[in-house]
Amino acid sequence: MSAALGGSLRARIAGFWRWWTQALSTWLPLRLRELFGLARERLLLQPAGEGLRISVEGADGVSPLAELPQLAEGVGDPLASLLVQRVARLPRWLLLPPDAVLRRRLPLPAAAGDRLREVLGFEIERQTPFQAASVEYDARVLGRRGDGQVETELVVVPRPVLEARLAALGAAATTLTGVDVDAGDGEALGVNLLPGARRHRRVDPWLRWNLVLGAVALAATVAGFWQMLDNRRAAADAFEAEVGQAAERARGASAQRQALVDLVEGMAFLQAARAARPTTVEVMDELARRLPDSTWLEKLTIEDTRILLIGLSNEAPALVQRLEGSPLWRSPALAGALQPDPRSGRDRFTLTAELVVAPTAGQTRESARARSNP
């Protein structure tokens, strides 16, 4: 079972390889196909009376090449001196006339297509008057039917007939790659009736060089892709480094911008706070206008919004009344008791008041918001 599956798999791979190379070769001009051996040409040797007709089968069909008279026995390869170098390298096929073979068309299940020759080998004795051991045969697929079966054809040639045809070629018979059958219209059926052991295998002298060049090309391709990938990685690393540097610069610029915003906001706050409260000069001027001439100040302190006055005055009890009503402060009051000063004859006083600070714009908005949302 495993051997059958292996053979089926190899047949499918070989069929796919042939189809793929043929499909690729159709894109090349004929001269290039001939140069690289992709033209799928073969040399057809067809008995014609006492002589031999030589034709070349290629992509454009069968083209007659030459006709030879009767071949002399004991002579070496009679085609070697006749054929030009390019044609001499083509695989040689003997083309049998249609009346030399027996053909039978048989429908088979689609599953039999993978082992077509083996399946039809069991049908030889049922479909032909010959014994399977006395013939050479091959099979081909003609098409697929609508019911899922494949239409096949069994081609059989008696071995004596084949041997007689091969013997007529003389030494050229040993150079044959296969034996095909004339379809009657100048074309070949596409079968090979020559036993596998007798098929001439042509060794391509350039095969080793082609393999070496193919390996070099493959290695160069892999190296090119690897270099391309390495370049992409290097470019990605460089781009990542540039992005990191740009991000670092952006973070630095953002930090500087934030510092500048904080500085501007701080200066604006200080200016707003300074504008919202009276200056020391204004406070001193207002005190000079409200305090009587008999009053001396020893100390004037302004801490935040608190004003502290320490001095001597003959009218100390009336100072609170004189300081009331000023737009620069509010709530003036004496702190502690009056103390007589024996040297000056005046009373020492300590007086406090609170500066009037106008609300800033932010405080005004917050107060308005608080009033609107109780």
Side-chain angles (χ1 to χ4, degrees), residues 10-53:
R10 286 194 297 271
R12 290 187 178 185
I13 293 176
F16 172 78
W17 177 256
R18 287 194 298 270
W19 168 83
W20 186 62
T21 53
Q22 290 176 1
L24 288 180
S25 65
T26 57
W27 291 84
L28 298 176
L30 179 59
R31 291 184 178 273
L32 289 180
R33 293 202 300 269
E34 293 175 353
L35 178 63
F36 294 108
L38 300 176
R40 299 294 179 183
E41 294 180 323
R42 59 178 180 173
L43 198 65
L44 300 180
L45 310 179
Q46 185 177 10
E50 298 296 332
L52 185 67
R53 182 181 299 117

Side-chain angles (χ1 to χ4, degrees), residues 152-167:
T152 64
E153 185 177 41
L154 174 65
V155 182
V156 176
V157 58
R159 285 183 179 173
V161 176
L162 179 61
E163 293 297 336
R165 299 287 182 174
L166 294 176

Side-chain angles (χ1 to χ4, degrees), residues 83-308:
L83 302 178
V84 296
Q85 184 178 6
R86 186 185 69 82
V87 178
R89 291 198 301 264
L90 296 179
R92 301 176 183 180
W93 286 67
L94 175 63
L95 196 62
L96 298 179
D99 56 1
V101 299
L102 181 63
R103 299 164 59 182
R104 290 286 187 269
R105 300 184 63 163
L106 299 172
L108 293 176
D114 296 334
R115 298 183 297 112
L116 182 60
R117 194 175 187 280
E118 298 178 16
V119 173
L120 291 183
F122 296 105
E123 299 290 332
I124 293 177
E125 297 183 359
R126 294 172 51 186
Q127 301 294 334
T128 69
F130 307 110
Q131 297 292 324
S134 63
V135 298
E136 298 293 344
Y137 73 98
D138 201 359
R140 66 182 186 134
V141 177
L142 300 179
R144 295 188 178 273
R145 297 171 32 166
D147 56 359
Q149 293 186 325
V150 292
E151 192 73 24
T152 64
E153 185 177 41
L154 174 65
V155 182
V156 176
V157 58
R159 285 183 179 173
V161 176
L162 179 61
E163 293 297 336
R165 299 287 182 174
L166 294 176
L169 291 179
T174 60
T175 65
L176 293 179
T177 302
V179 175
D180 209 337
V181 181
D182 187 1
D185 53 358
E187 302 289 335
L189 285 182
V191 295
N192 193 352
L193 300 174
L194 188 65
R198 302 179 64 176
R199 296 176 185 177
H200 178 69
R201 307 294 180 183
R202 292 180 174 269
V203 179
D204 187 2
W206 293 95
L207 178 60
R208 180 175 299 176
W209 287 105
N210 290 337
L211 292 177
V212 172
L213 292 177
V216 172
L218 180 61
T221 303
V222 172
F225 280 114
W226 181 266
Q227 184 64 38
M228 184 183 301
L229 179 60
D230 188 65
N231 292 341
R232 293 295 183 184
R233 288 176 178 172
D237 294 340
F239 180 73
E240 184 178 1
E242 292 179 1
V243 170
Q245 294 176 359
E248 188 65 26
R249 290 194 297 270
R251 285 192 292 267
S254 178
Q256 293 177 359
R257 179 178 177 275
Q258 187 62 40
L260 180 60
V261 169
D262 294 341
L263 179 60
V264 171
E265 290 180 351
M267 293 179 63
F269 174 77
L270 292 177
Q271 291 177 357
R274 186 177 301 163
R277 58 190 297 173
T279 63
T280 304
V281 175
E282 292 175 339
V283 172
M284 294 178 65
D285 181 66
E286 183 72 10
L287 288 173
R289 288 188 292 105
R290 287 181 174 269
L291 292 176
D293 295 338
S294 61
T295 301
W296 298 78
L297 290 179
E298 295 178 345
K299 184 178 182 181
L300 170 62
T301 303
I302 301 177
E303 295 181 356
D304 195 10
T305 59
R306 184 172 179 270
I307 302 176
L308 177 64

